[in-house]
């Protein structure tokens, strides 16, 4: 047996070990720049865009898994630029200096609060599987959790998910995810990954993975069949901590009114506050089901005398304005602030705030004065504490809110645009209705991955033709446009056609 033949046989064996229907894939790629900023502060982990030092890493748009019809469609280095992870350098003036594809695979998840993470010299993400079944159908409903170095030179697989909506979070030392009724963790360090997952908790009843936080809360029913309560736990830095257990509330052994059923609502990582609703297990028709909050210390200890009540009902849609200020209820168009209740008080203390045009607002950011939000894919700003305030339409660009979290970094809003489904950004600080009156004050976004100059024409059959030219090209009678660099051929033709048609309509 000659040497070449032995190598071929070895490669086939390796592929079979990966999985019966697994596709072999070459992940050698890069380098894309350097790893010079690997020790710099990371901002916005868990979003669609993450900043580390002077670099941003982001998902270049939302692609459909149905576009992966054969394994090669999502092979490393062969995947479409739509959905790949990009690396851009941010100049001192905030502009983008350079851009490259650093992870040439589709980033995808349908889990709420999903996103990418950067720790040290690694980018962590999910991507559709390239395995096939026995009829050669690509198993795109399964996901692979992986990491790639920030210069693109090395990739390692961490775990496989059986469903695209698997809830997960990448922490600095391991991947935590919820599968079936179990919370699992695959640990890793700067060079190695554990060979299999460790079960952190089983028989889990509910979980709360939260935006921009690596802390995971979960509930379990009491193991005592004589009790009717559930209990709260948290995964903090990869370890499970008890928050509320059977013995937390004094007298609960014999008193059903002190055996509580908790529903996890949200977590404010900045203030380290967990919001939840609870109701007792008594048969009293007058029992109160309320909305509560608890502000933890570093040890995540729970003191029953320090939990705070905000509403005598369970609020489902709210934004925290701060543990001491209250919860902004957004279940109706008319906003209402629920203030913290004094101990023993069971009457809501509320204040009427501004009224929006409709329900279903997606809050982008909120400060002491303004709330930025999206309704029907349009961005607005309002002085929310003023009940007579009128909302300003910031932009008429279409903003997609159906996928993952929109982010604001250094005054720029990063979002998936609702027309072409690529990553755009908008300078919120540039909004000034007084100085920009010719456009009613509205501002527009720009594609993050950059553009290049092109001559565009349309033939008699309506077919768009694109010729990329130098930045200084300026031939008379030719229409020039800045077209996106990292866009699929079909999408860039649609983009160019829209610009061309708009000019024709204006003539």
């Amino acid at each position: 047996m000659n040497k070449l033949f032995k190598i071929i046989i070895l490669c086939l064996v390796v592929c079979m070990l990966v999985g019966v229907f697994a596709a072999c894939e070459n992940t050698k790629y890069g380098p894309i720049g350097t790893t010079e900023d690997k020790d710099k502060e990371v901002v916005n982990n868990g979003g669609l865009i993450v900043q580390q030092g002077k670099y941003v890493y982001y998902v270049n748009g939302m692609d459909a898994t149905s576009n992966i019809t054969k394994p090669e469609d999502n092979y490393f280095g062969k995947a479409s630029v739509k959905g790949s992870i990009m690396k851009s350098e941010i100049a001192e003036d905030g502009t983008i200096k350079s851009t490259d594809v650093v992870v040439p695979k589709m980033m995808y998840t349908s889990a709420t609060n999903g996103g990418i993470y950067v720790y040290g010299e690694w980018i962590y993400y999910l991507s559709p599987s390239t395995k096939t079944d026995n009829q050669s159908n690509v198993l795109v409903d399964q996901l692979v959790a992986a990491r790639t170095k920030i210069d693109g030179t090395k990739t390692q697989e961490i775990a496989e998910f059986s469903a695209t909506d698997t809830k997960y979070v990448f922490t600095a030392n391991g991947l935590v995810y919820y599968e079936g009724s179990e919370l699992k963790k695959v640990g890793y360090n700067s060079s190695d990954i554990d060979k299999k997952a460790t079960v952190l908790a089983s028989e889990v009843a509910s979980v709360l993975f939260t935006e921009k936080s690596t802390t995971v809360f979960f509930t379990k029913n009491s193991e005592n069949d004589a009790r009717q309560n559930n209990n709260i736990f948290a995964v903090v830095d990869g370890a499970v901590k008890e928050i509320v257990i059977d013995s937390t509330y004094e007298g609960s052994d014999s008193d059903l009114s002190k055996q509580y059923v908790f529903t996890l609502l949200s977590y404010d990582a900045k203030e380290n506050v967990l919001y939840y609703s609870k109701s007792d297990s008594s048969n009293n028709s007058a029992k109160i089901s309320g909305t509560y909050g608890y502000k933890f210390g570093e040890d995540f200890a729970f003191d029953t005398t320090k939990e705070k009540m905000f509403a005598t009902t369970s609020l489902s849609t709210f934004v925290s304005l701060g543990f001491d200020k209250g919860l902004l209820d957004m279940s109706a168009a008319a906003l209402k602030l629920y203030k913290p209740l004094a101990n023993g008080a069971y009457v809501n203390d509320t204040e009427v705030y501004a009224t929006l045009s409709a329900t279903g607002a997606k809050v982008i950011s909120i400060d002491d004065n303004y709330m930025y939000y999206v309704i029907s894919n349009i961005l607005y700003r309002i002085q929310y504490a003023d009940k007579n305030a009128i909302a300003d339409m910031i932009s008429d660009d279409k903003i997609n809110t159906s996928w993952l979290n929109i982010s604001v970094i250094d005054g720029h809003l990063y979002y998936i645009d609702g027309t072409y489904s690529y990553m755009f950004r908008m300078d919120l600080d540039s909004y000034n209705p007084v100085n920009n009156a010719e456009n009613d004050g509205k501002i527009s976004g720009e594609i993050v991955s950059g553009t290049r100059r092109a001559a565009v024409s349309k033939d008699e059959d309506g077919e768009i033709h694109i010729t990329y030219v130098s930045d200084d090209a300026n031939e008379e009678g030719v229409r020039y446009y800045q077209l996106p660099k990292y866009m699929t051929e079909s999408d860039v033709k649609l983009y160019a056609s829209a610009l061309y048609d708009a000019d024709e309509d204006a003539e």
Side-chain angles (χ1 to χ4, degrees), residues 117 296 380 424:
Y117 295 75
F296 295 103
Y380 297 88
F424 276 60

Side-chain angles (χ1 to χ4, degrees), residues 297-321:
E298 292 184 2
D299 59 358
F300 278 80
F302 188 90
D303 180 346
T304 59
T305 65
K306 294 181 180 179
E307 67 177 334
K308 189 175 291 186
M309 189 175 190
F310 292 89
T312 59
T313 58
S314 178
L315 303 179
S316 59
T317 308
F318 62 85
V319 175
S320 172
L321 298 185

